[in-house]
Amino acid sequence: MTRNKIKFSHTKWLLPLWVLLIGSIVLYMITHAVQQADSRHLRTLAELNAVTYGDSMIADLNAGINITDTLEQLLISTDGRIDKFDIIADRMMADYVRSIQVAPGGIVTDIYPAEGNEAGKIDLIHDKYRGETVNYSIANDVLIIHGPFELEQGGHVLSIRNPVFLQDEKGTPYFWGMTMVIIKVPDIFQHSADALTDFGYQYRLSKTISPLTDEYTVVDQSEETLMDPVSYDFTLGGCSWKLEVMPTGGWKNDTLLQLIVLCGIAVILLLVVLTISILFVDEQRKKFRRLSLTDSMTGLLNRNGFNLQLEEYLEGNKQKNCVGILLDVDNFKFINDVYGHTIGDQVLLQLSQSLVQAFPDNSIIARNGGDEFCIILKDCSAEEAAPMIDAFSKASRSFSAKGVEHNYSISLGYAEYPANAEKVSDILRYADIALYEVKLQGKHGALAYRPDFHNSKRTQLGFSLSDVSDNLPGAFFIYRAEKEDERILYANQEMLQLTGCTDLDDFMHFTKHQFRNLVHPEDLTQVEESIWQQIESGMNGYNDYVKYRLAVKDGTYKTVLDYGRIVESEHYGSVFYVLVVDCEFIKTHYDD
């Protein structure tokens, strides 16, 4: 806290923006991490499913291969003869089998079922489309799954060709021919493909057409295009196979991510609102603290704020000199009573601003209450501060009321620590003694404390205008006697009672601030002539008497004796101080 102001930095209101920014970054990082983890999890599951259903497809293909193996075993056991081929083949038929064939010497001779498959009876070894692969199969004694092909009679198939070798009488192996199964695709994989689809996967099954090429061709696939799929590779029937799998919805769990984003946004907004609330509460706390330490009208410290700063200063500066000052406005109550509290507030505000401008920045300046101000000048002696204090106390001061400038003055007392006070906390007490010494000497000045100033002298200042007016045994009022600007300035309690008014504001409203409204219209000319005669006589301090009927608020009149004295005032010009005595009262008590 510097001087008398409590400053507040608005940069802390950027904190909600930082919370929003950091929260958004954290939410992005969490979302990204969850997305990556979820993607890894989905890929792991997809890889497991690719292996599972890849093995299932291998099992499907092995079912077809087993048909050729069974035929091979039959040929071996019967020395290359197959009796009742149609009956045997019929028993081995399945939904996914297009036909079962045998090709002695590489020439297809038997096909089941024969109907619709007549075109399949060809010389495999010398066929321009199949010959190379068939010869490779025979030369290497390896089963080949060739294809896929599109048949002339319609449909896509894979051809499983198993070369069969028998032994002659000498036990020497010789090529007998081939057992074959023509498999319908995608029928053979239907069960595995349906299971993949039901589990929410898209797939693509590819293979090399034959062992003689590395080029893959699609055997079967789902309808949608695959993006960055996982794959399971295997070798079967002399060819390389690849099953590619990906989730139908892709590698992102959009539902989970949307939930995380919505929850994250809700949390971020909650944190932002909470941060704003905390800042608002903190600002309110600081506001109330400022209100508890500062004077709302002048912006200076109040006595609590002054004491707090003084304590802070004392903690580290107990050995340093300082000067305590106490000052107030001369005749401030009179300014308030005559010109109103609004003008009085302007005087206080003007004085507080001049204090801030006149004294060093590190000074502790406060409004002690009412029109009294207190100051601590740090790190200086009374002798060093005296020129500055004297200049401030003697400076010309004025306020404006209804376009007219009026001068006012201040009285100021000051004391030094440690020269006058053993403790810094007592320094204002000694400054207060010096201030009242100024008052005793006629106000408008500044005095440094001296030990010969005594508190007993203050009893002379113990009476204020309110003390006198409230306890004076008689009614009186004060008014400015200017022809162009007649104005009642004050009335005491007994005057209010005499006119039937409840308070001074009621009295001013009743009289409209003018003495003429207190006089019976028939008596007004006589009274005014007496007043103006007294004014024009130029006899300052001259007393005069006039008798007239005084207006009462209830509409009646009382005959009174007006005993007035005219005085020339520095502030108001010609002023009448008037005692009013009820004639009925005089008659009752002094009839003789």
Side-chain angles (χ1 to χ4, degrees), residues 477-533:
F477 66 95
I478 305 171
Y479 74 97
R480 180 168 50 203
E482 298 285 347
K483 287 185 177 180
E484 302 301 326
D485 188 19
E486 176 206 347
R487 182 178 180 82
I488 296 177
L489 303 176
Y490 185 75
N492 75 338
Q493 190 63 34
E494 288 207 22
M495 185 66 190
L496 302 181
Q497 294 173 359
L498 187 63
T499 56
C501 296
T502 56
D503 54 32
L504 187 59
D505 288 337
D506 188 29
F507 178 79
M508 294 298 186
H509 180 74
F510 169 58
T511 62
K512 298 179 182 179
H513 293 269
Q514 292 186 324
F515 168 62
R516 63 173 47 247
N517 293 324
L518 283 173
V519 182
H520 193 288
E522 295 178 358
D523 300 336
L524 184 58
T525 301
Q526 170 198 350
V527 172
E528 286 186 337
E529 286 178 355
S530 175
I531 293 172
W532 301 132
Q533 181 181 358

Side-chain angles (χ1 to χ4, degrees), residues 63-69 71 92-93 96-102 144-146 157-162 179-184:
I65 292 172
N66 287 339
I67 295 174
T68 66
D69 289 341
L71 290 173
M92 290 188 289
M93 282 295 289
Y96 56 84
V97 176
R98 173 68 184 237
S99 66
I100 299 174
Q101 305 176 9
V102 290
I144 300 296
I145 301 177
H146 198 190
V157 297
L158 291 171
S159 177
I160 302 176
R161 302 190 187 102
N162 182 22
T179 58
M180 299 186 302
V181 174
I182 307 302
I183 299 172
K184 294 183 284 186

Side-chain angles (χ1 to χ4, degrees), residues 333-585:
K333 188 177 188 312
F334 183 77
I335 295 174
N336 267 341
D337 290 343
V338 174
Y339 298 102
H341 289 278
T342 300
I343 297 297
D345 290 346
Q346 291 178 8
V347 169
L348 295 179
L349 186 59
Q350 180 192 80
L351 180 58
S352 66
Q353 292 171 347
S354 65
L355 285 170
V356 173
Q357 295 169 359
F359 293 101
D361 288 343
N362 66 342
S363 305
I364 304 174
I365 305 175
R367 182 186 177 196
N368 200 31
D371 64 318
E372 189 172 80
F373 296 83
C374 51
I375 308 167
I376 295 292
L377 303 180
K378 301 177 182 178
D379 306 328
C380 69
S381 65
E383 183 179 357
E384 293 169 336
M388 175 172 53
I389 293 173
D390 287 342
F392 182 78
S393 67
K394 294 175 181 177
S396 177
R397 293 179 172 81
S398 65
F399 61 87
S400 178
K402 292 187 175 181
V404 179
E405 288 293 318
H406 302 276
N407 295 324
Y408 73 95
S409 61
I410 64 169
S411 296
L412 185 152
Y414 60 100
E416 178 189 343
Y417 168 84
N420 304 133
E422 295 181 358
K423 296 187 296 184
V424 179
S425 57
D426 290 339
I427 196 170
L428 290 184
R429 182 163 61 86
Y430 292 96
D432 185 41
I433 295 172
L435 170 62
Y436 276 92
E437 187 67 25
V438 176
K439 298 291 187 182
L440 289 173
Q441 294 183 18
K443 307 178 183 179
H444 193 189
L447 285 177
Y449 171 78
R450 296 199 312 267
D452 59 334
F453 294 162
H454 300 292
N455 290 340
S456 59
K457 292 183 179 180
R458 291 194 194 179
T459 56
Q460 300 175 47
L461 299 173
F463 297 102
S464 65
L465 176 61
S466 62
D467 292 327
V468 175
S469 66
D470 290 343
N471 296 290
L472 186 69
F476 83 90
F477 66 95
I478 305 171
Y479 74 97
R480 180 168 50 203
E482 298 285 347
K483 287 185 177 180
E484 302 301 326
D485 188 19
E486 176 206 347
R487 182 178 180 82
I488 296 177
L489 303 176
Y490 185 75
N492 75 338
Q493 190 63 34
E494 288 207 22
M495 185 66 190
L496 302 181
Q497 294 173 359
L498 187 63
T499 56
C501 296
T502 56
D503 54 32
L504 187 59
D505 288 337
D506 188 29
F507 178 79
M508 294 298 186
H509 180 74
F510 169 58
T511 62
K512 298 179 182 179
H513 293 269
Q514 292 186 324
F515 168 62
R516 63 173 47 247
N517 293 324
L518 283 173
V519 182
H520 193 288
E522 295 178 358
D523 300 336
L524 184 58
T525 301
Q526 170 198 350
V527 172
E528 286 186 337
E529 286 178 355
S530 175
I531 293 172
W532 301 132
Q533 181 181 358
Q534 188 175 0
I535 292 172
E536 291 168 359
S537 69
M539 299 177 64
N540 190 30
Y542 172 73
N543 298 343
D544 192 20
Y545 303 87
V546 62
K547 186 177 180 180
Y548 58 86
R549 285 167 286 179
L550 178 75
V552 181
K553 189 178 177 183
D554 63 6
T556 62
Y557 289 88
K558 294 180 180 180
T559 302
V560 298
L561 180 65
D562 178 320
Y563 177 37
R565 169 177 290 181
I566 188 170
V567 175
E568 287 299 318
S569 168
E570 175 186 357
H571 300 292
Y572 307 110
S574 297
V575 175
F576 263 111
Y577 290 82
V578 182
L579 284 174
V580 179
V581 181
D582 187 349
C583 289
E584 185 65 30
F585 174 81

